[in-house]
Structures are given as structure tokens and as C-alpha cells.
Amino acid sequence: MRSLALHITVMTALLVTCTQAERLIWLGTLASAPSSATGVSADGTRVSGWYTVSGDFTRAFLWQDGVFQELGTLGGNNSVATGISADGSTVIGYAETVEGYKRAFRWKSGAMRDLGVLPLDTNSYASDVSDDGRVIVGYSYGTASRPRAVWWTPASGIQPLSLPADTTESYATSVSADGRFITGIRRTGNTEPFRAFQYDTLTATYTELPPLLPGALSFVNSIGRDGVIKVGFTVTPDGDIPTKWFETTPVRLGGLGILRDVSADGKIAIGQSRGLAARWSEYGVPDFLGITYSFLLNRGDELRIAESISPDGRFIVGQGYVGNLNCNMAYLLDTDGTYSIKGNMELRDFVGDITRVPITVQMRRYGVIVRSETVYLDANGNYEISNVPSMEYDITFYARPWLRVNVNGVRVAGADVTGLNVALISGDIDGDNEVTLFDFGELVAAFGSTPGDTNWNRYADLDGDEEVTLFDFGILVRNFGAMGDW
């Protein structure tokens, strides 16, 4: 392999941060040339990617704590870094040789190594790398040979995956943290659709990942830590459908788009939807990063592609647009910011101890519950929902025998939300979210009772004085016909 001198430049990165934890760092490029980030280490201190140099050539880079380092080539004009190991030790990608061939490379300890090709091939590509940098996957191809999925280790070098004999074209796209499981796509013939698959290197076992729709083209782009969760997309006439596989079962996630990467536990997937960087929760609900973290952006800026996510889901990298520079630029987004939603809650007609009343709080996004918990009021009726990530939520407050109250469009954006005050109307003894004759029946059955009596019904004690009396009847009559939010 040809030895190359490394060019190291200290960049003036553009850092945008809020008063708490979230940060957006535009990684910066020479002369504001286009760039993109393709991988991030587990601790968020190292980012891989590429940027454009003079003559429209591209060069692989490693960004580390504000230092922007060009990784060179294999003697040719171009190189692109496609990823980095979780421990930050190894950068992978492809680079041109003197002859103009493209070769998969591994960059480690300051040196770029050509990973080679399969027999009869001239080109290769590295797609992903294990957490410790020891297993690399991709594909090998030539002018007279179709791409073949490969994996590489220091001990065995480059070798093909043992795929079914009818495979005519294949690509390895990702590898699990420990290097055991590899995902990819393959097809038979020239017109057959690509099929997603998983390959177990320990047992040399091939497993097909069924398409979301019969006969549809499906692509798998990333795999979780233990090989259970895989993400990608399905091609349909109506657009690309974000797809997640649980073992071998495909599930459609919300909206349209492409899933490019997934956290180690499989709960957070990132990618692109409608031309913008997006993130999908484990419930399949997407949010656009440029909207969720708009408080970190200047006017005219956009986050357009989410390319890679750290194993814990905290750091996201990709490409965005910097408006005042009119430039597509690599970014590093640190999403580690959680805040509190605070307010006061009035439990109307209640004279008992409000601190002992359990309040159910449900937080929804696009109609899907993403969080449900029980909170308690202090003596003054104040509540707090803690550890809430930046996002917009619809929130439901509920406690029997009060009616449900919804507060929609609560936006958490880099700061605590305060003053979210609600008042709950009493009288729903039977818990159907309405005050009706059925509640009268429940109250009549419990009338005159106190705790310990066989007919005691704590929900019929509307005023909380531990006795079902005419005062409770008065409350029910006053609120008769009321309905809670749905």
C-alpha cells in the first residue's frame, strides 16, 4: 500500500448550543466546500465523513474534538469515509488508487490500508464496521463481474459471504456490534427485486428478511447490537416506506422515508423523510430533527440527512444546509437534553389530601402514546413531569373520579415548560369519562358509607371527606352531563 502523508487542519467549527445540554456543531470545511458526516463514535468525540476539495474531488476526513483531519487517498484523487467504529479507533470507506480503481480501506493509527478485492475484481467498497474495528463489511466488484457481498477481518482478509447459489448480485450493508451478524441485499437474475438478508458468520447461516409487501424491493441498512432489530426501507409506487424487522418480521414505521441507521437497542432509528433528516422512535413515530431542534438553528438552516447514530442514540450525524454560507455541511447533533414540564392542577370540589391522589399522565405524538406515568401533586397542587426530551407532545391528565383533560401541542424545545395549568371536573365515578345516570347509580349504592363499609366506593366520595353524603350528590348534580376529552 502506498504511504500517504496526512493533512491536519484545525477547523473553526460552528457550535450552536442552548443553556442546557443539546448542541449542534457544524463541522466546517475548507472554504465552505460541501461536506457530509457518515459515522460517529459512541462518545461523540469522533466523526467520519467526506468533504469536497479543489477540482471537485472528495476526501475522507476524521473530525476529533474540533480537529479536522484529511485521511488522504490510496494514490488517486478521491476518497470517502463511510463510517467509524464505536470505539473511534477505525475509519472505513473507499479511496481511489493510482490506476483509478476504488478500493475499500481501513484507516487506523494514522495509516490507510487497502482491503483488497475478490479474485477477478478490481474495485471494492466498505459499508460498515464492528464496534472494535475488527470486522468490516461491504462488497467487491469489477468491470466484468457483478458486486458480491464480502466481509474482512485481520486474520482472514477479504472473503465472500456464503449466500444461496442462485445469487447473481449482492451487497453487505451493515454488521452487528460484535461482528457476528451481517445484513445485506441480494438478487437473482437481472430483473428480480433485491431481497434483504441476514448472515450469521459464526454458523455461516443465511436468513432471508421477508419484504414488507409481496414482491416489493426491500433494503436493509443497519442492524442493532444483538442482531434482532434491522432497519431499512421498502420501495413502493407511492414512495419509500421506512421498515423495521423484528427478527424476520417486517413492520412498517410511520410516514414515508428511508431508515439509515439504528441505535444499539433498536429503539431509535434515523434517516431521511421528504428531503429532511428524521428520527423514528420505537413506536414508529417520526419527528423532523430540524423542527424538534429548531432552537439550535439559524434562519435558513436545515438538517437534511441523518446518516448515523451512536449506539446509545444520543449523537446523530449527517448533512445539513447552512443558510448564511449557502453550503451543504456535515453536522454533529448532541440530543442529550431532558427538561421538565411543570404546572398547577386543580382537583375541583375536592377537600381531601390532594397529595395522595395518583394522576395519570399520558404523552402522545401523532396519536401514539410514547410515555405514560403516574405523578403526584404537592400541597399547593403543583406537579412536575421530569426527564422529557425536546419534542412536541399532546398530553392527557386523568384521575378518577375526574374527567380527562387534553393539552395539545406542548412543545419542549431546549428549556423547561412552566405554567401548564389544568383544572379537572369531578363526577365520573364509573370511569367512562362522562357524568351520567350510571354515576348516580354508583353513588346511590355507596350512599352513607365510610371506609371499611362493605358498600364503600372511594370514587363516589367526590369531595374527599371519606364519607358519601349529600355533598357528593350536589357535586354530581352540578357536573351532570359533562364529558372529558378523548
Side-chain angles (χ1 to χ4, degrees):
M1 182 181 69
R2 181 174 176 177
S3 175
L4 296 174
L6 300 178
H7 178 65
I8 301 177
T9 307
V10 178
M11 304 302 298
T12 305
L14 304 176
L15 170 63
V16 183
T17 185
C18 63
T19 56
Q20 297 194 34
E22 290 108 326
R23 297 178 302 152
L24 173 65
I25 303 175
W26 295 105
L27 300 186
T29 56
L30 299 175
S32 297
S35 64
S36 185
T38 57
V40 60
S41 62
D43 61 5
T45 62
R46 298 187 178 191
V47 177
S48 65
W50 58 265
Y51 77 104
T52 305
V53 297
S54 59
D56 292 328
F57 298 130
T58 60
R59 295 291 168 83
F61 74 75
L62 171 64
W63 181 93
Q64 182 177 358
D65 291 328
V67 177
F68 186 94
Q69 182 174 356
E70 183 185 306
L71 304 186
T73 71
L74 292 171
N77 294 319
N78 297 285
S79 63
V80 170
T82 57
I84 188 171
S85 59
D87 65 6
S89 67
T90 305
V91 178
I92 62 163
Y94 64 91
E96 287 185 352
T97 66
V98 174
E99 298 80 11
Y101 297 126
K102 295 178 180 178
R103 295 290 179 84
F105 74 75
R106 179 186 72 157
W107 186 92
K108 184 179 178 67
S109 302
M112 181 181 288
R113 174 179 177 179
D114 185 341
L115 298 183
V117 295
L118 294 179
L120 305 179
D121 291 344
T122 53
N123 301 279
S124 57
Y125 180 97
S127 305
D128 197 16
V129 59
S130 61
D131 279 9
D132 61 4
R134 295 184 61 81
V135 179
I136 298 170
V137 302
Y139 55 92
S140 174
Y141 64 103
T143 55
S145 57
R146 294 184 178 181
R148 291 176 284 175
V150 299
W151 61 305
W152 181 97
T153 66
S156 60
I158 190 170
Q159 55 186 315
L161 299 187
S162 298
L163 302 180
D166 61 353
T167 303
T168 57
E169 186 175 350
S170 61
Y171 305 80
T173 57
S174 69
V175 61
S176 60
D178 61 2
R180 174 175 176 176
F181 298 103
I182 297 172
T183 65
I185 56 174
R186 76 173 190 103
R187 68 175 175 177
T188 60
N190 296 322
T191 59
E192 291 295 316
F194 280 102
R195 305 173 185 177
F197 69 82
Q198 178 173 304
Y199 182 81
D200 186 338
T201 62
L202 184 62
T203 62
T205 302
Y206 166 88
T207 302
E208 191 159 303
L209 301 177
L212 184 65
L213 303 172
L217 279 73
S218 57
F219 294 83
V220 57
N221 287 327
S222 185
I223 188 171
R225 182 178 298 278
D226 56 8
V228 173
I229 303 297
K230 283 75 65 172
V231 301
F233 63 99
T234 301
V235 179
T236 74
D238 298 324
D240 297 326
I241 298 176
T243 306
K244 175 185 283 190
W245 285 267
F246 293 85
E247 294 288 0
T248 58
T249 302
V251 176
R252 175 175 182 165
L253 300 192
L256 296 176
I258 296 173
L259 303 182
R260 299 182 182 273
D261 200 9
V262 67
S263 59
D265 60 10
K267 293 183 177 181
I268 304 173
I270 54 95
Q272 190 175 23
S273 176
R274 303 187 185 279
L276 296 173
R279 174 179 57 186
W280 284 257
S281 72
E282 63 178 316
Y283 303 95
V285 181
D287 68 284
F288 293 97
L289 298 180
I291 296 176
T292 299
Y293 298 98
S294 60
F295 57 92
L296 298 176
L297 298 173
N298 294 318
R299 185 173 182 178
D301 294 350
E302 291 182 344
L303 300 182
R304 293 180 172 175
I305 301 174
E307 193 72 44
S308 183
I309 189 170
S310 60
D312 64 358
R314 171 177 173 177
F315 300 100
I316 299 172
V317 299
Q319 185 184 73
Y321 176 77
V322 182
N324 63 350
L325 297 179
N326 190 28
C327 176
N328 292 320
M329 188 177 292
Y331 70 82
L332 166 64
L333 174 64
D334 182 352
T335 67
D336 185 28
T338 57
Y339 305 94
S340 292
I341 298 175
K342 305 175 183 179
N344 186 270
M345 184 177 300
E346 179 187 356
L347 301 179
R348 290 183 175 176
D349 299 309
F350 194 69
V351 297
D353 185 356
I354 61 174
T355 66
R356 299 178 61 185
V357 178
I359 312 296
T360 298
V361 177
Q362 292 180 335
M363 304 178 69
R364 290 178 171 83
R365 285 183 50 76
Y366 303 102
V368 177
I369 297 175
V370 296
R371 179 170 171 178
S372 181
E373 64 184 83
T374 300
V375 300
Y376 288 88
L377 308 178
D378 66 16
N380 297 314
N382 298 314
Y383 71 89
E384 179 175 353
I385 309 168
S386 58
N387 299 317
V388 180
S390 291
M391 215 168 289
E392 185 172 297
Y393 304 91
D394 297 330
I395 304 177
T396 297
F397 299 91
Y398 170 64
R400 287 182 65 184
W402 292 270
L403 300 174
R404 300 172 190 266
V405 172
N406 294 340
V407 182
N408 297 327
V410 179
R411 189 178 180 209
V412 181
D416 289 343
V417 174
T418 58
L420 190 64
N421 303 328
V422 294
L424 274 58
I425 296 173
S426 186
D428 180 24
I429 300 172
D430 64 359
D432 66 354
N433 207 30
E434 298 180 64
V435 182
T436 67
L437 288 174
F438 293 107
D439 300 300
F440 266 105
E442 295 276 349
L443 195 149
V444 168
F447 189 75
S449 65
T450 59
D453 292 342
T454 56
N455 64 330
W456 168 250
N457 183 343
R458 64 188 179 95
Y459 299 123
D461 178 22
L462 300 179
D463 61 4
D465 65 354
E466 298 196 331
E467 186 177 6
V468 181
T469 66
L470 288 175
F471 292 107
D472 302 300
F473 263 110
I475 295 171
L476 197 150
V477 170
R478 185 165 56 251
N479 296 331
F480 185 77
M483 297 177 59
D485 296 330
W486 295 93

